[in-house]
Amino acid sequence: MKTEKEKMIAGEHYNAGDAILVKDRRRAKNLLHRLNVIEYRITKKAREIIQELIPNAGANLYIEPPFHCDYGYNINCGDNVYFNVNCVVLDCAPVHIGSNVFFAPNVQLYTATHPLEAELRKTLESALPITIGDDCWIGGNTVICPGITIGKGCVIGAGSVVTKNIPENSLAVGNPAKVIRKLNQE
């Protein structure tokens, strides 16, 4: 039988009140408190906290505090990833971020979702993974919804709400985000 954590990562309904998940979130919150309140500036100690919080990151992960996430261990980053201030990553499911990806202020990545049925919603939730390809720029105040894939080389305009997958080398803007043109085409 799967643990609640295994169900969560697999995208199945799970109980977020499970003791192991509560402990994991508490650990992340303690690290985030140290990063966002005690260190706040990017120092050697802040980099150590980020590495402990997000152990599955390539070289040069830079996070400008404050930053928020649920677990940290479900965030997988390539090299040279930059999060500007006030970014939120609800990483109940895996979040895969390629290399050379830049997040402007207030970007929010939501893997968490909830059942539409009210009775189920009282006790269960679920999550769907998010994937962002290499060489993307995500504009300020963008929301990326559960289960979304953004292809490599994309730019997502500020204030966008991404509710559908975005093909590679696209400029997408709006609410809901729509592709308005291809990029990097000769």
Side-chain angles (χ1 to χ4, degrees):
M1 187 150 100
K2 288 184 181 179
T3 66
E4 296 302 309
K5 184 174 182 175
E6 289 168 335
K7 292 178 195 175
M8 176 184 77
I9 292 170
E12 300 171 14
H13 285 116
Y14 68 95
N15 178 351
D18 175 72
I20 290 170
L21 294 176
V22 170
K23 181 181 174 189
D24 288 353
R25 285 193 305 274
R26 186 175 302 121
R27 176 191 167 277
K29 296 303 179 217
N30 287 336
L31 289 167
L32 289 165
H33 176 77
R34 288 171 47 206
L35 176 66
N36 294 335
V37 177
I38 297 170
E39 290 301 316
Y40 198 70
R41 296 170 294 114
I42 298 303
T43 61
K44 181 179 182 214
K45 187 67 176 166
R47 283 191 262 292
E48 290 170 1
I49 294 166
I50 291 167
Q51 187 173 25
E52 187 176 348
L53 178 66
I54 305 173
N56 301 312
N60 302 315
L61 170 60
Y62 188 95
I63 295 175
E64 188 69 48
F67 176 80
H68 305 279
C69 66
D70 284 329
Y71 299 97
Y73 56 66
N74 281 328
I75 301 171
N76 302 279
C77 298
D79 296 334
N80 306 313
V81 172
Y82 175 81
F83 285 95
N84 209 320
V85 298
N86 291 322
C87 287
V88 175
V89 182
L90 300 185
D91 63 317
C92 301
V95 175
H96 298 281
I97 300 167
S99 294
N100 306 306
V101 176
F102 304 101
F103 296 93
N106 302 309
V107 171
Q108 301 169 57
L109 286 72
Y110 300 153
T111 67
T113 186
H114 301 275
L116 296 178
E117 300 82 16
E119 283 305 309
L120 284 177
R121 195 168 46 245
K122 291 178 183 177
T123 57
L124 297 174
E125 56 186 73
S126 59
L128 298 170
I130 292 173
T131 300
I132 300 171
D134 294 340
D135 303 310
C136 289
W137 174 25
I138 312 299
N141 293 306
T142 291
V143 173
I144 300 173
C145 292
I148 295 299
T149 295
I150 297 173
K152 68 179 184 176
C154 287
V155 174
I156 308 298
S160 295
V161 178
V162 184
T163 61
K164 294 190 185 316
N165 293 342
I166 306 295
E168 66 181 43
N169 297 313
S170 296
L171 171 61
V173 300
N175 180 1
K178 293 186 182 349
V179 174
I180 59 170
R181 74 178 177 95
K182 295 300 273 179
L183 300 172
N184 305 321
Q185 303 295 307
E186 296 184 28

